[in-house]
């Protein structure tokens, strides 16, 4: 670890320097994983003339920088190469659809194809002269500033391609505009969008994919079966900077998507992550038969600090994503390849965490670790009844003072804690009795929080606390937490991955060997740690310049 760069990560994806935002066009091709990303080669802040950075990997853990796949170069993208996706054609060839900012500063959709499909690294891409393929115009009522981020395309029963593009109307109706094509080059806008929702504003980076209703295997984007799958529509809401998803049905005859429950209005749709997380995108890994999710985790520091340290932006650790047995939520879990980084392991079994206690987890590199813990709470009847006004979990987490005893919890982990506890980030649960006795399914409410308020002595960072409810029943299930700690990022998976919270922290003291890890229980009732496993994680090769064929 470079002492001048305490916030660079050991195993989270980042370029050697400069600005990165959205993950673009993830895929596996000839056994090589590819990740493209919105990259500003000129500095640590976003710039409209952004390019497609490119890295490759054999295991999704270690990455090699490749030259940018493409830069602004032609009238249809001369002012920027914005986000987009890869589609693998039936002949096995990958094609990129991406948003270009054209010579008039309009958003248009373009195509890029590999120059040499026998190169598994796909180092060179070309832009066919046909570009742009889709343009906004007054006739189709699309605003040229709100027309971007094409998804992976899928094949319909008629053999035609479909793709959606994010948009919104002037009166804030968010839209997934649908286009169809027979040959992938000539695209026609369908009269109806795939889906829309009033008063949600611009939909950025939509993602639309099938999930199996019977297990955790992934489903290829074009595959369809009437009874075996559901569809997921994810949108990144520009107005809130969060990624929301719904689970529903895709009617292939009408080419419309119908969510099972409501959508984002009134905040009713679940989020992929309740912390810092945006512009996520999935792809289907046909080798390991799984769907993998990437998401952009931006900084919580002021831009001047980003410029100083010379970089900005991380990708979350890649997550496997699938439909929970209940059919009501998605589950996410770090891809299994993370285990190749595991070193020293510490295990606890059946450890009682007495009311008010804090126990240190000794023996792992606490600044770069993987921690799994499951709690069992016995005296559930001692839980406080949740206040009817406490509907917003982030608010409860922000107001809950850890020093105030309140029945069941807070209990959880304190990570990136300094030697004298001047700094720490706490990831914890609180259990309440439901106040809704008409609903027998929700006897208890489990709250998960990630509290950054004490994470750094530096007061200039955004230290907002995050929170969400976890869909588990503590009378039958253990309360589980997995947390990935990596210097300046804390990625937490509650309830087996049904609730995820990612945060960025910038400790001044809890750095390297001066970082500590604890389990704690500040509640008035004791809690059992059924098991706790913590691993030191080795550093991955992440775009190491000395390993890279491409030096800027
Ligand atoms: C999302 C986004 C996309 C756009 C890209 C530009 O973060 O605003 O809508 O294509 O970033 O970098």
């Amino acid at each position: 670890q470079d002492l001048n760069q305490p916030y660079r990560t050991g195993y989270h994806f980042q370029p050697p320097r400069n600005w990165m935002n959205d993950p673009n066009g993830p895929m596996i091709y000839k056994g090589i994983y590819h990740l493209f990303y919105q990259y500003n080669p000129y500095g640590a802040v976003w710039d409209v003339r952004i390019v497609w950075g490119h890295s490759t990997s054999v295991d999704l853990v270690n990455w090699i920088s490749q030259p940018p796949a493409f830069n602004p170069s032609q009238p249809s993208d001369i002012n920027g190469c914005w986000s987009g996706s890869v589609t693998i054609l039936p002949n096995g060839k990958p094609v990129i659809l991406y948003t270009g900012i054209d010579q008039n500063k309009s958003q248009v959709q373009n195509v890029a194809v590999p120059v040499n499909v026998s190169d598994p690294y796909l180092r060179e891409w070309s832009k066919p002269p046909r570009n742009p393929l889709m343009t906004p115009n007054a006739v189709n009522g699309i605003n040229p500033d709100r027309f971007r981020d094409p998804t992976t395309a899928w094949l319909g029963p008629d053999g035609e391609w479909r793709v959606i593009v994010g948009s919104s109307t002037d009166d804030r109706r968010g839209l997934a505009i649908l286009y169809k094509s027979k040959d992938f080059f000539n695209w026609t806008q369908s009269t109806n969008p795939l889906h829309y929702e009033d008063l949600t504003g611009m939909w950025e980076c939509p993602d639309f994919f099938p999930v199996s209703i019977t297990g955790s295997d992934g489903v290829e984007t074009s595959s369809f079966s009437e009874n075996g799958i559901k569809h997921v529509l994810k949108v990144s809401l520009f107005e809130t900077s969060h990624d929301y998803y719904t689970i529903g049905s895709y009617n292939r005859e009408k080419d419309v998507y119908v969510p099972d429950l409501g959508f984002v209005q009134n905040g009713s749709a679940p989020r992929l992550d309740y912390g810092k997380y945006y512009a996520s995108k999935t792809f289907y890994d046909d080798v390991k038969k799984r769907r993998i999710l990437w998401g952009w985790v931006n900084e919580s520091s002021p831009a001047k600090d980003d410029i100083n340290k010379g970089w900005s932006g991380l990708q979350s650790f890649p997550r496997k994503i699938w439909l929970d047995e209940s059919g009501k939520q998605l589950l996410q879990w770090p891809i299994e390849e993370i285990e190749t980084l595991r070193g020293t392991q510490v295990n606890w079994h059946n450890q009682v965490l007495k009311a008010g206690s804090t126990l240190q987890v000794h023996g792992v590199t606490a600044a770069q670790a993987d921690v799994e813990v499951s709690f069992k709470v016995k005296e559930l009847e001692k839980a406080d009844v949740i206040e009817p006004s406490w509907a917003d979990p982030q608010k409860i987490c922000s107001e809950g003072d850890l020093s105030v005893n309140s029945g069941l919890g807070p209990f959880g982990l304190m990570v990136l804690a300094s030697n004298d506890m001047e700094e720490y980030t706490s990831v914890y649960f609180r259990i309440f009795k439901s106040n809704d006795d008409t609903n027998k399914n929700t006897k208890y409410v489990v709250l998960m929080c990630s509290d950054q308020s004490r994470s750094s002595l530096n007061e200039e960072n955004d230290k907002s606390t995050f929170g969400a409810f976890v869909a588990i029943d503590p009378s039958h299930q253990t309360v589980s937490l997995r947390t990935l700690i990596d210097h300046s990022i804390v990625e937490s998976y509650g309830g087996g991955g049904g609730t995820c919270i990612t945060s960025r922290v910038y400790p001044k003291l809890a750095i390297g060997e001066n970082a500590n890890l604890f389990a704690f229980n500040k509640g008035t009732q004791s809690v059992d740690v059924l098991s706790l496993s913590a691993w030191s994680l080795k550093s991955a090769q992440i775009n190491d310049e000395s390993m890279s064929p491409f030096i800027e």
Side-chain angles (χ1 to χ4, degrees), residues 213-500:
I213 60 169
T214 51
S216 70
D217 277 3
V219 180
E220 204 280 320
T221 309
S222 287
S223 87
F224 188 86
S225 83
E226 204 66 61
N227 302 315
I229 60 164
K230 301 288 291 185
H231 269 78
V232 173
L233 177 64
K234 184 241 51 172
V235 297
S236 302
L237 278 201
F238 175 77
E239 291 184 2
T240 66
S241 299
H242 299 312
D243 282 12
Y244 301 81
Y245 70 89
T246 56
I247 300 161
S249 307
Y250 170 40
N251 180 329
R252 293 207 297 176
E253 277 61 58
K254 297 198 179 118
D255 254 323
V256 293
Y257 166 76
V258 184
D260 292 346
L261 301 169
F263 199 43
V264 288
Q265 273 199 62
N266 318 319
S268 61
R271 279 165 52 183
L272 283 177
D273 193 296
Y274 292 84
K276 285 244 156 184
Y277 190 87
Y278 196 63
S280 64
K281 191 176 297 291
T282 64
F283 75 102
Y284 177 63
D285 173 358
D286 62 354
V287 173
K288 291 208 170 174
K289 310 273 176 252
R290 56 186 172 175
R291 185 163 285 274
I292 292 171
L293 173 74
W294 284 101
W296 169 43
V297 183
N298 72 350
E299 303 298 312
S300 298
S301 45
K304 69 168 169 59
D305 289 8
D306 300 343
I307 293 166
N308 244 332
K309 71 190 200 293
W311 59 275
S312 174
L314 301 175
Q315 301 298 332
S316 64
F317 196 77
R319 303 172 179 178
K320 177 171 158 165
I321 184 166
W322 71 100
L323 184 66
D324 180 25
E325 266 176 19
S326 68
K328 291 189 185 139
Q329 65 173 359
L330 296 173
L331 296 177
Q332 303 170 56
W333 203 242
I335 51 151
E336 62 190 16
E337 286 87 340
I338 195 171
E339 292 167 22
T340 61
L341 296 174
R342 285 177 175 173
T344 319
Q345 177 175 3
V346 170
N347 286 311
W348 294 358
H349 287 290
N350 300 317
Q351 181 92 45
V352 180
L353 266 184
K354 291 207 200 91
S357 67
T358 300
L359 290 180
Q360 185 158 9
V361 181
H362 287 285
V364 294
T365 54
Q368 198 172 305
D370 181 353
V371 189
E372 270 193 73
V373 55
S374 72
F375 298 98
K376 183 75 195 165
V377 182
K378 281 182 298 222
E379 297 184 88
L380 283 169
E381 68 282 1
K382 301 258 169 72
D384 297 328
V385 177
I386 194 162
E387 298 283 332
S389 61
W390 289 4
D392 176 355
Q394 178 165 9
K395 207 157 161 244
I396 317 175
C397 293
S398 309
E399 287 166 4
D401 181 346
L402 278 192
S403 60
V404 174
N405 288 337
S406 63
L408 299 183
F411 59 85
L413 299 174
M414 274 180 195
V415 308
L416 295 169
S418 61
N419 297 328
D420 295 321
M421 293 304 234
E422 301 96 327
E423 296 178 330
Y424 56 85
T425 295
S426 42
V427 186
Y428 61 85
F429 298 102
R430 291 177 74 181
I431 299 175
F432 299 97
K433 274 188 198 140
S434 166
N435 57 27
D436 176 8
D437 32 44
T438 54
N439 188 345
K440 299 276 181 296
N441 296 326
T442 57
K443 194 151 179 254
Y444 298 100
V445 178
V446 179
L447 176 74
M448 174 175 164
C449 305
S450 183
D451 182 347
Q452 285 67 243
S453 60
R454 301 288 298 270
S455 60
S456 173
L457 294 178
N458 182 347
E459 295 303 329
E460 290 186 329
N461 303 306
D462 173 8
K463 295 195 274 191
S464 307
T465 290
F466 304 125
F469 294 121
V470 189
I472 50 176
D473 175 357
S475 57
H476 297 104
Q477 292 166 292
T478 62
V479 180
S480 75
L481 174 66
R482 179 160 181 197
T483 296
L484 305 183
I485 305 155
D486 195 3
H487 303 276
S488 66
I489 181 170
V490 179
E491 249 190 274
S492 299
Y493 300 74
T499 302
C500 299

Side-chain angles (χ1 to χ4, degrees), residues 21-22 38 46-47 50 81-84 99 148-149 202 204-205 238 278-279 296:
N21 57 296
D22 312 358
Q38 291 284 283
W46 185 81
D47 190 282
I50 205 144
C81 296
W82 287 21
S83 286
T99 299
R148 58 183 181 269
D149 310 337
M202 176 63 194
E204 296 190 311
C205 301
F238 175 77
Y278 196 63
W296 169 43

Side-chain angles (χ1 to χ4, degrees), residues 72 121 139 187 191 249 267 303 522 535 537:
Y121 298 105
V139 180
W187 292 89
T191 336
S249 307
K522 296 272 173 76
W535 292 266
L537 289 186

Side-chain angles (χ1 to χ4, degrees), residues 152-169:
T152 295
W154 69 95
L155 278 170
D158 53 7
E160 287 193 42
W161 290 102
R162 276 107 172 126
V163 73
I164 53 174
V165 179
S167 188
S168 71
T169 62

